[in-house]
């Protein structure tokens, strides 16, 4: 059984409220942190090996150490709660059931970074959660854990919740900052990075909800102890939101030492494939990471078991591996049609492109149109090569990672499931009435 750090109290009735959270030991990590110096906290975060839980997996301590500290210029912490990656819903779970864990993590992080005004930017579709967060903020303030002169330390901190308008692109940190400033959420060219010029051109750290919540157990048990959980550079615990054709969809906390096979088939986690079907493929890190067929998902090309951690999932690069990403674990059974699935994703990324750069604006539209054509049985063999060519021209040639996010699923689908694309071309009548999966199993 995986160790629980973030969700250990999630089952307790009333844990959403300050009184219950406090009774379970809540805010003791904050009390401990406020007796430390900001540099001591930073060292703990670095020692923990925590990697950003939003998708990129960049070391959090290193990110914090890049924060510029010019004299007299305010700094900000911004929590990225714009959890819009299809298949990812673990931050929603944290905010809905454990809002004080996020608030406590923000207090510690704000103190470490010198942010007196911090923000939570939350996606518009999570319409009921801002009220939960604002209630938790008021409770923390009433108890002296937010506001002026917190616990008599002289440190002031306010937290504000900002609702987004529902655009996927606002999960990209610079688009988020633009939106937070009241502008259209277009990604900025980098450099300068937010650590130097972020919110209102002030030094800013943008971190995911889960990353900031993880600061609480890191301070609680120390960075060194946190680093002992997990394996290699995949330290601590990770929340995985599991969905698709499985028996037990939900949010699970894993310690990154379990195998993918155990995660899918164990009753402790996904409970196996629904309706007794066979596993066909999986996207383990949210819709933008490469899809992996079952044979490469459960084992690496060397025959080693594949583990639920950053290194093992990526083993072999994109040719045979994938990414931990945001931890949005999407499982596809044998009945699913990869072309149909890829077309759905292409439509999403085309719809969400902000339109600033040509490869993304035009390329995502082309990919969707070609995939639609193939899926309807109206495609030609050369369309598959054209699709491959277009995704190659998008990847790495755009302002922000949405271009890559749109290209990778198409590349992986063609790489691993070209036969399905060809089946649609060769069987135009059949592909209008049924999908490849149902026709072949
Ligand atoms: Fe906008 Fe797409 Fe360019 Fe990102 S890659 S800036 S979403 S057009």
């Amino acid at each position: 059984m995986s160790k629980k750090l973030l969700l250990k109290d999630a089952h307790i009735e009333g844990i959403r409220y300050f009184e219950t959270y406090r009774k379970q030991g809540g805010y003791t990590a904050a009390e401990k942190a406020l007796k430390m110096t900001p540099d001591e906290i930073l060292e703990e975060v670095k020692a923990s090996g925590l990697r950003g839980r939003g998708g990129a997996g960049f070391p959090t301590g290193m990110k914090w150490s890049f924060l510029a500290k010019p004299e007299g210029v305010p700094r900000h912490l911004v929590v990225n709660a714009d959890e819009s990656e299809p298949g990812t819903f673990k931050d929603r779970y944290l905010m809905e059931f454990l809002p004080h864990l996020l608030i406590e993590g923000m207090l510690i992080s704000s103190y470490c970074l010198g942010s007196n005004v911090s923000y939570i930017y939350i996606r518009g579709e999570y319409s009921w959660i801002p009220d939960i967060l604002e209630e938790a903020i008021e409770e923390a303030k009433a108890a002296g854990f937010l506001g002026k002169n917190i616990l008599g330390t002289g440190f002031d901190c306010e937290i504000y919740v900002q609702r987004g308008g529902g655009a996927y692109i606002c999960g990209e940190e610079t688009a988020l900052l633009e939106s937070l400033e009241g502008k259209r959420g277009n990604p900025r060219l980098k450099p300068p990075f937010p650590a130097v010029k972020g919110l209102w051109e002030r030094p800013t750290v943008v971190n995911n909800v889960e990353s900031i919540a993880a600061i609480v157990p890191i301070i609680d048990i120390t960075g060194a102890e946190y680093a002992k959980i997990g394996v290699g550079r995949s330290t601590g615990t990770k929340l995985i939101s599991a969905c698709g054709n499985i028996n037990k969809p939900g949010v699970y906390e894993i310690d990154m030492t379990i195998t993918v096979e155990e995660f899918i088939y164990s009753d402790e986690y996904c409970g196996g494939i629904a309706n007794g079907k066979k596993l066909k493929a999986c996207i383990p890190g949210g819709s933008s990471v490469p899809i992996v067929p079952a044979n490469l998902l459960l084992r690496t090309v060397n025959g080693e078991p594949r583990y639920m951690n950053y290194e093992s999932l990526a083993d072999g690069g994109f040719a045979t591996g994938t990414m931990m990403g945001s931890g949005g674990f999407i499982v596809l059974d044998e009945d699913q049609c990869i072309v149909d699935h890829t077309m759905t994703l292409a439509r999403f990324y085309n719809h969400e492109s902000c339109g600033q750069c040509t490869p993304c604006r035009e390329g995502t539209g082309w990919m969707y149109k070609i995939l639609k054509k193939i899926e309807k049985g109206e495609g030609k063999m050369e369309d598959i090569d054209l699709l491959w060519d277009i995704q190659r021209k998008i990847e790495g040639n755009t302002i922000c990672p949405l271009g890559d996010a749109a290209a990778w699923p198409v590349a992986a689908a063609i790489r691993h499931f070209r036969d399905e694309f060809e089946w649609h071309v060769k069987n135009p009548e059949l592909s209008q009435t049924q999908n490849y999966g149902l026709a072949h199993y």
Side-chain angles (χ1 to χ4, degrees), residues 169 186-187 352-358 360-361 398-403:
I169 194 56
N186 280 356
E352 296 295 340
S353 167
C354 83
Q356 274 195 105
C357 38
T358 309
C360 173
R361 184 186 61 241
T398 56
I399 294 173
C400 89
L402 190 144

Side-chain angles (χ1 to χ4, degrees), residues 344-386:
T344 304
L345 292 184
R347 181 173 55 201
F348 172 78
Y349 289 113
N350 177 230
H351 178 74
E352 296 295 340
S353 167
C354 83
Q356 274 195 105
C357 38
T358 309
C360 173
R361 184 186 61 241
E362 302 299 325
T364 54
W366 285 11
M367 289 198 301
Y368 171 50
K369 277 183 206 153
I370 295 168
L371 279 159
K372 199 162 135 188
K373 207 169 121 186
I374 297 173
E375 202 275 335
K376 280 170 75 182
E378 295 167 3
K380 301 189 183 97
M381 280 301 172
E382 50 264 39
D383 287 332
I384 305 170
D385 298 324
L386 180 60

